[in-house]
Amino acid sequence: MLTLCSFLQSVYQFFRIFTTKVFSVSKRMYRSSAVLMTGTFLVAVMAFTSAGFSGGGRNALTAYAETPSQDPELQEESEEKTEEIVMLTEANVPFRLTDSESLRDGQLLVGNTLAKRILEEQEVREVQKTAVKEAKEEIRQMEEERARIAAEEAAIREEEERNRKAAEAVRSSAIVKFSDQDYDVLKRIVQAEAGICDIRGKILVANVILNRVKSKHFPNNITDVVYERSQFSPVYDGSINTCKVTQETIDAVNRALTGEDYSQGALYFMNRGRSRSSNVSWFDGRLTFLFQHERHEFFR
C-alpha cells in the first residue's frame, strides 16, 4: 500500500511538472511528453497486473526510468523521484520480513510456554499419584498394625480367661488354700528361681513352697513363706518383681497346687554354683540331702 501511494505521488509530481513546462516547450516536445506519459501508464498497468503492487510498482518505475527523455531537467527530476520510490519500496521489504519473523518467534514462544506448562502439569500429576500411593500404603500398614494389635490383645484376653478358669479349677481342688495374691506370688517366685529349668524343675520349686506352708515350722500361707526374711534370693535382689511369668510356669504352679509332687518332702533347695560359701556350709552341715535335679539340690 505504501509503494502504490508513493508511485501515485510520483506520477502526480511528474504530471504537475509536465503541465508547468508544457507552456514553455514546443508543440513537438508536448507531443513527445504525451507519448511518454501514455507509455508510462501502460507499462505501469501491465506491471501491476502481472506482479502485484510491490513488484509491479517497482517494475513500472524501472521502465519509466529507462524510457529516454528529450528534456534533461525533466529526466533528472524523474530519476530522483524514481530512486525515492524504489528506496521506500525496498525499505518495506525487510519491514514485512521482520513482521513474519516476529510472528514466527511469537508462535515459538507460545508453543514453548504451552509445552512447559504441560510438563509442569504432568510433574504435578506424578507427584499427586506418588503421594496418593504413599498414603494408601501408610493406611494399609496402619490397618495391618491395628489388626495385629487387636489379634494380640484378643489372644492375651483369651489366655487370661483360660488361666482364670484354670485357677478356679485349681482352687477347688488345691492341696492348700490360697488367695489371688498368693497365687501371683507363687508364680513369680517359681519363675524367678527356676525360669531356666524344665517344667519338672519348676514343679519342684513350687512343691518346696507348698511343703513349707503345710509345715508347722513356717508361715501358713504362700505370701508369708516367700517373703520370710533371708529365705529366697529373688526377694531381696528384686527379681521377683521384674520377671515375666511364662505359660509353662503357670502350668507348673497349677499342677503343684493340685497335688503333683516330686519333692520327697523337701523344705529347702540350693544352687551350689550361685550360693555363698557360708550358705553352702550351712546346707551341708545342718540339712539332709535328698536329690538333685538339674542345678538345684533339694534338702530336708
Side-chain angles (χ1 to χ4, degrees), residues 226-241:
V226 172
Y227 282 93
E228 189 175 10
R229 185 176 180 179
S230 302
Q231 295 300 308
F232 298 98
S233 57
V235 174
Y236 59 78
D237 67 16
S239 60
I240 190 174
N241 300 316

Side-chain angles (χ1 to χ4, degrees), residues 193-242:
E193 287 283 6
I196 62 173
C197 298
D198 61 11
I199 191 167
R200 187 181 181 95
K202 291 180 174 65
I203 293 174
L204 281 168
V205 171
N207 291 155
V208 171
I209 303 299
L210 297 177
N211 289 341
R212 288 191 179 191
V213 172
K214 294 184 290 183
S215 173
K216 62 180 180 180
H217 300 290
F218 295 93
N220 61 358
N221 63 78
I222 295 172
T223 301
D224 291 344
V225 165
V226 172
Y227 282 93
E228 189 175 10
R229 185 176 180 179
S230 302
Q231 295 300 308
F232 298 98
S233 57
V235 174
Y236 59 78
D237 67 16
S239 60
I240 190 174
N241 300 316
T242 59

Side-chain angles (χ1 to χ4, degrees), residues 50-64:
S50 62
F53 285 106
S54 179
R58 186 171 181 179
N59 293 334
L61 288 174
T62 303
Y64 169 73

Side-chain angles (χ1 to χ4, degrees), residues 170-182:
V170 168
R171 193 187 304 274
S172 63
S173 58
I175 58 175
V176 297
K177 293 181 179 180
F178 62 91
S179 64
D180 292 341
Q181 181 181 2
D182 292 332

Side-chain angles (χ1 to χ4, degrees), residues 14 18 28 31 52 61 73 111 141 143 153 165 169 206-207 227 236 247 253 257 270 282 298:
F14 176 80
F18 175 80
R28 183 179 178 181
R31 286 193 299 271
L61 288 174
E73 182 179 357
Q141 293 178 356
E143 290 177 349
E153 291 177 348
K165 292 180 178 180
N207 291 155
Y227 282 93
Y236 59 78
Q247 185 61 45
V253 167
L257 284 170
M270 172 186 66
W282 187 87
F298 293 86

Side-chain angles (χ1 to χ4, degrees), residues 7-166:
F7 176 76
L8 292 177
Q9 184 180 5
S10 177
V11 172
Y12 171 75
Q13 292 293 337
F14 176 80
F15 184 79
R16 184 175 60 79
I17 294 170
F18 175 80
T19 305
T20 304
K21 298 290 185 177
V22 75
F23 296 102
S24 62
V25 299
S26 64
K27 291 182 178 181
R28 183 179 178 181
M29 182 65 71
Y30 180 79
R31 286 193 299 271
S32 298
S33 299
V35 171
L36 179 63
M37 284 293 295
T38 303
T40 301
F41 274 105
L42 289 174
V43 171
V45 169
M46 293 175 63
F48 277 116
T49 304
S50 62
F53 285 106
S54 179
R58 186 171 181 179
N59 293 334
L61 288 174
T62 303
Y64 169 73
E66 292 177 353
T67 303
S69 176
Q70 297 178 2
D71 189 346
E73 182 179 357
L74 183 61
Q75 183 178 0
E76 181 179 359
E77 185 175 356
S78 297
E79 289 176 354
E80 292 176 354
K81 206 65 179 177
T82 301
E83 290 177 357
E84 179 182 356
I85 294 173
V86 170
M87 291 175 62
L88 289 173
T89 303
E90 292 176 348
N92 190 38
V93 172
F95 174 75
R96 292 183 177 182
L97 290 174
T98 302
D99 287 346
S100 299
E101 292 175 355
S102 299
L103 178 60
R104 184 170 60 254
D105 292 341
Q107 291 174 345
L108 291 174
L109 178 61
V110 172
N112 291 335
T113 302
L114 291 175
K116 184 178 180 181
R117 182 175 299 176
I118 291 172
L119 290 176
E120 290 176 351
E121 291 177 353
Q122 290 177 346
E123 291 177 356
V124 170
R125 285 195 294 269
E126 290 298 326
V127 171
Q128 291 175 345
K129 288 181 180 179
T130 302
V132 170
K133 184 177 180 181
E134 291 177 352
K136 289 181 178 179
E137 179 64 19
E138 185 176 355
I139 292 173
R140 184 188 65 79
Q141 293 178 356
M142 291 176 61
E143 290 177 349
E144 289 181 352
E145 182 65 15
R146 284 198 296 266
R148 184 186 65 80
I149 293 174
E152 290 180 353
E153 291 177 348
I156 292 173
R157 288 193 299 269
E158 183 179 351
E159 184 178 350
E160 290 176 347
E161 180 64 18
R162 184 171 62 251
N163 290 333
R164 185 187 65 79
K165 292 180 178 180

Side-chain angles (χ1 to χ4, degrees), residues 183 186-187 190 206 248-258:
Y183 186 60
L186 183 58
K187 290 186 295 184
V190 171
E248 185 180 71
T249 298
I250 296 174
D251 294 340
V253 167
N254 291 342
R255 289 165 64 174
L257 284 170
T258 55

